[in-house]
Amino acid sequence: MDKQLFAEHLATLRERYDDILEQTGFDTLNVFSGRPKVQFLDDNYYPFRCNPQFKALVPVTDNPHSWIIYRRGQKPRLLFYRPVDFWHYVPPAPRTFWSDQYDIDLLNSPADAKAFLQSENAAFLGETDGLEGWPIGIPNPEELLARLHWSRAYKTPYEMACLREANRIAVRAHRAAEAAFRDGASEFEINLSYLRAAGQGENQMPYGNIVGLNEHAAILHYTHLSGQRIPESELKSFLIDAGADCNGYCADITRSHAFRDGEYAELVAAMDAKEQELVAGLRPGVAYGELHRQCHLKIGQLLQQFGIIRTSAEGAVESNLTGTFMPHGLGHFLGLQVHDVGGHQTAATGGITPPPAEYPFLRTTRTVEANQVFTIEPGLYFIDPLLAALRETDLAAEVYWDKVDALRPFGGVRIEDNVIVHGDRTENITRDCYAE
Ligand code: GLY
Ligand code: MN
Ligand code: MN
């Protein structure tokens, strides 16, 4: 990554952090990367996931027991954990595109950090377990966190470059996964193809890869990865929702594939077109919740067009019949976290705007602004428990159940792209990578 781009990024962050510290009455932030968590009654550790507030300041995602000490108006200090340890990998002292931007001290043991910390006018960001009695300052003050979360929605050019690169890696891997599907691989084998092409292990993935064949495509967060190969004659559909990481920034991409021509293939193509219409609607000034309603209208149109419901698209939205077929939200902020923070936030100082009662899983209730990054991920599924519940209601009469039963073995379809909103255009970074 470009050194100058990072220098400019950190200059922007420092302006933001200095303002936020001033507004909240702190002089110092002590930000802890985290500590490995040991499994219950065991001496093995869960995969390490670093504190997002730490990787927001420095692109180090895999080094526990490290700290950023951020003092208003000063160059940030990185305490980089580098023990003498013959059991574990010890990363080299950082000398890379970002390292000039920090005063770096190496820590031999976790407790060496204490000598650098001071609690006067200080806030602490992170998990406090194991730090009892340390001079860390006030842990996770609410307004400070709210202001940081709010500012995270506005991505810098460096962050956009990381998100584009994460998409490039993920698209390469999605292509390998589709090829494995067409070769008759099991879900487990498809996932291996994905990881190999990404060059990233499963613990580096931003979330557990969703790799579903046939009816498994109806399970929204299906991460089971069956090892069973399905005979070619029975292969119908493939839904893969998988991302990649670049310097701590996430890709979050979904594609649905039909094994052969037919109605499901047509549904995938029709959804693909609707998804691109929704991406085109993602513009500054649009309420994301309004775009979600437009998405439901489009799902209603697909249900009509494919002979799944009797009702008009408008009627299906009105009665929330569409909710049975698309129970999740249109998408979310994307960044350092796959469901990036602040989607329901009302103002920089805090407050929550909850999703509307009929769409409880909508993760974004904010008005779209320039430099924000979102996913757009409409879906249409045949989900057994939701269909069973629908059958018990008056709306059951609006459904052509024979058609539902014919499509049920295909599971469902979801198309998900990652999109940067600029002042004058939207940039679909996922499609751009497919076009490369
Ligand atoms: N992969 C999780 C999501 O799409 O939100
Ligand atoms: Mn996804
Ligand atoms: Mn998503």
Side-chain angles (χ1 to χ4, degrees):
M1 194 55 69
D2 185 70
K3 221 172 159 168
Q4 183 58 27
L5 197 59
F6 186 81
E8 287 163 17
H9 163 70
L10 202 72
T12 304
L13 281 197
R14 285 180 60 179
E15 276 175 33
R16 289 180 186 171
Y17 277 62
D18 286 354
D19 282 350
I20 289 171
L21 285 176
E22 192 170 1
Q23 281 151 354
T24 49
F26 294 103
D27 295 324
T28 300
L29 270 182
N30 297 317
V31 189
F32 185 43
S33 70
R35 63 179 58 238
K37 292 186 169 69
V38 73
Q39 295 168 28
F40 184 54
L41 301 181
D42 203 308
D43 63 357
N44 281 291
Y45 288 83
Y46 292 107
F48 176 69
R49 289 283 180 171
C50 116
N51 170 10
Q53 290 294 348
F54 181 83
K55 66 174 179 169
L57 279 163
V58 66
V60 173
T61 57
D62 59 355
N63 203 12
H65 301 298
S66 297
W67 296 75
I68 290 280
I69 300 179
Y70 187 95
R71 296 210 164 88
R72 191 143 59 90
Q74 291 181 25
K75 187 173 181 178
R77 179 175 294 276
L78 168 63
L79 308 181
F80 191 82
Y81 181 56
R82 205 160 178 281
V84 175
D85 182 345
F86 56 87
W87 290 104
H88 303 105
Y89 170 71
V90 177
R95 279 176 63 88
T96 181
F97 68 92
W98 53 262
S99 45
D100 286 353
Q101 302 302 320
Y102 304 85
D103 287 329
I104 300 178
D105 290 284
L106 303 178
L107 300 178
N108 229 319
S109 85
D112 288 354
K114 262 192 214 182
F116 294 90
L117 298 170
Q118 56 95 357
S119 60
E120 203 185 313
N121 275 346
F124 169 83
L125 299 178
E127 292 178 290
T128 53
D129 314 353
L131 301 176
E132 296 78 11
W134 286 43
I136 58 173
I138 298 173
N140 306 309
E142 205 173 316
E143 187 185 331
L144 177 76
L145 269 182
R147 286 183 182 274
L148 289 172
H149 285 177
W150 185 265
S151 75
R152 283 242 312 262
Y154 307 94
K155 270 56 178 185
T156 66
Y158 160 78
E159 293 181 293
M160 292 179 193
C162 291
L163 289 161
R164 287 187 195 102
E165 181 58 22
N167 264 255
R168 221 165 270 131
I169 298 165
V171 164
R172 184 170 78 218
H174 270 267
R175 287 197 162 116
E178 185 190 352
F181 158 65
R182 302 224 175 266
D183 276 354
S186 69
E187 293 165 350
F188 180 79
E189 291 167 325
I190 293 171
N191 192 47
L192 290 182
S193 299
Y194 185 94
L195 297 173
R196 175 192 284 265
Q200 298 187 353
E202 64 183 336
N203 292 331
Q204 286 169 284
M205 293 285 116
Y207 53 91
N209 290 350
I210 297 165
V211 177
L213 294 172
N214 293 354
E215 68 280 1
H216 292 160
I219 302 172
L220 297 179
H221 283 172
Y222 174 83
T223 53
H224 176 66
L225 298 174
S226 163
Q228 196 148 12
R229 289 190 180 168
I230 297 175
E232 191 174 315
S233 59
E234 291 170 37
L235 265 178
K236 296 179 172 61
S237 59
F238 171 41
L239 185 151
I240 172 163
D241 181 344
D245 175 277
C246 174
N247 295 325
Y249 291 84
C250 310
D252 177 12
I253 299 174
T254 308
R255 287 293 181 267
S256 304
H257 303 284
F259 192 72
R260 54 180 67 79
D261 290 344
E263 203 158 38
Y264 177 78
E266 287 163 24
L267 182 61
V268 172
M271 178 65 88
D272 196 67
K274 298 281 190 210
E275 191 261 0
Q276 290 184 73
E277 291 167 17
L278 290 163
V279 169
L282 191 65
R283 301 222 167 254
V286 170
Y288 195 89
E290 182 48 40
L291 205 56
H292 175 85
R293 285 182 203 283
Q294 286 176 29
C295 172
H296 270 264
L297 189 61
K298 291 181 193 298
I299 299 302
Q301 289 161 354
L302 291 177
L303 290 168
Q304 254 274 319
Q305 182 187 331
F306 284 83
I308 298 164
I309 60 170
R310 284 175 221 278
T311 341
S312 69
E314 290 77 8
V317 175
E318 184 71 21
S319 64
N320 203 16
L321 181 55
T322 53
T324 295
F325 296 92
M326 183 180 149
H328 60 73
L330 173 62
H332 47 85
F333 278 143
L334 181 72
L336 287 161
Q337 291 168 256
V338 65
H339 300 144
D340 214 6
V341 287
H344 291 150
Q345 208 169 324
T346 310
T349 47
I352 293 294
T353 306
E358 66 274 31
Y359 302 126
F361 301 114
L362 179 60
R363 294 182 194 273
T364 316
T365 50
R366 282 182 53 180
T367 299
V368 176
E369 294 173 69
N371 300 322
Q372 295 181 337
V373 181
F374 295 92
T375 68
I376 292 286
E377 48 182 304
L380 194 166
Y381 316 85
F382 302 94
I383 301 173
D384 287 338
L386 297 185
L387 292 167
L390 181 66
R391 258 195 193 277
E392 301 303 314
T393 70
D394 293 346
L395 287 175
E398 303 298 335
V399 175
Y400 292 112
W401 290 99
D402 288 356
K403 184 47 76 69
V404 166
D405 290 339
L407 285 167
R408 223 188 266 262
F410 293 84
V413 44
R414 174 164 73 255
I415 311 280
E416 176 176 27
D417 286 342
N418 303 167
V419 182
I420 301 176
V421 178
H422 298 285
D424 55 351
R425 70 195 167 97
T426 52
E427 178 188 350
N428 188 330
I429 56 179
T430 307
R431 300 266 169 174
D432 287 352
C433 292
Y434 273 104
E436 271 174 13

